[in-house]
Amino acid sequence: MNPGTRAPWHLWVVGVAALLWNTVGALDYVMTQTRNAQYMAGFTAEQLEFFYGIPAWTVAAWAIGVWGGVLGSLLLLLRKSLAVWVFLASLAGVVLTTLQNYVLSNGLEVMGGPGAVAFTAVIFVVAVGLYLYASVMRKRGVIA
């Protein structure tokens, strides 16, 4: 990155949108992990049992996914190339969490079927997109 290199307008749009998106994920993580009664009241007893029974390694992967997304977004806005690696770690967290929720457990059944899969697909696509976007911005010298 040259000192005089200006960030393109879309970096700010993507960075702010990513930060907002990932902050919602982080809020969901915090509310679920702290078992916030008001937040969790919208779930069935079976869903609550599922959430509270998630293995520790999956909780760790989920944390890496959401907090990596928040940190990656901040690093992107600060034009730091570390954003690429943090977004990659976040993507890995998404993949591992999805593996546990839909392959190694009955999450699909518990969470309500196709809608849950569609939302998870959106999360995955956004995580891939943020990783690729940060990679392109690094290659172009916008972030360093």
Side-chain angles (χ1 to χ4, degrees):
M1 180 172 73
N2 295 329
T5 302
R6 293 184 53 133
W9 64 269
H10 51 80
L11 180 120
W12 307 112
V13 172
V14 170
V16 169
L19 184 59
L20 293 172
W21 168 263
N22 286 301
T23 299
V24 171
L27 176 66
D28 177 62
Y29 174 85
V30 168
M31 291 298 163
T32 303
Q33 292 306 300
T34 60
R35 299 182 183 203
N36 181 282
Q38 186 176 4
Y39 186 80
M40 301 308 287
F43 296 102
T44 67
E46 186 179 25
Q47 289 170 333
L48 291 175
E49 183 180 334
F50 177 79
F51 288 136
Y52 300 152
I54 293 174
W57 71 266
T58 308
V59 173
W62 185 15
I64 291 167
V66 297
W67 296 110
V70 170
L71 180 58
S73 301
L74 290 170
L75 290 168
L76 182 65
L77 288 168
L78 293 171
R79 299 176 64 187
K80 303 294 182 187
S81 65
L82 183 59
V84 175
W85 299 108
V86 174
F87 279 136
L88 183 60
S90 176
L91 175 59
V94 169
V95 169
L96 290 172
T97 303
T98 302
L99 176 69
Q100 169 59 32
N101 290 346
Y102 296 126
V103 176
L104 303 177
S105 71
N106 64 338
L108 181 59
E109 175 187 319
V110 172
M111 295 313 297
V117 173
F119 187 64
T120 300
V122 169
I123 293 169
F124 176 78
V125 167
V126 169
V128 168
L130 289 173
Y131 167 70
L132 293 174
Y133 181 82
S135 295
V136 168
M137 291 299 100
R138 182 183 61 197
K139 286 179 186 169
R140 290 186 182 168
V142 174
I143 62 176

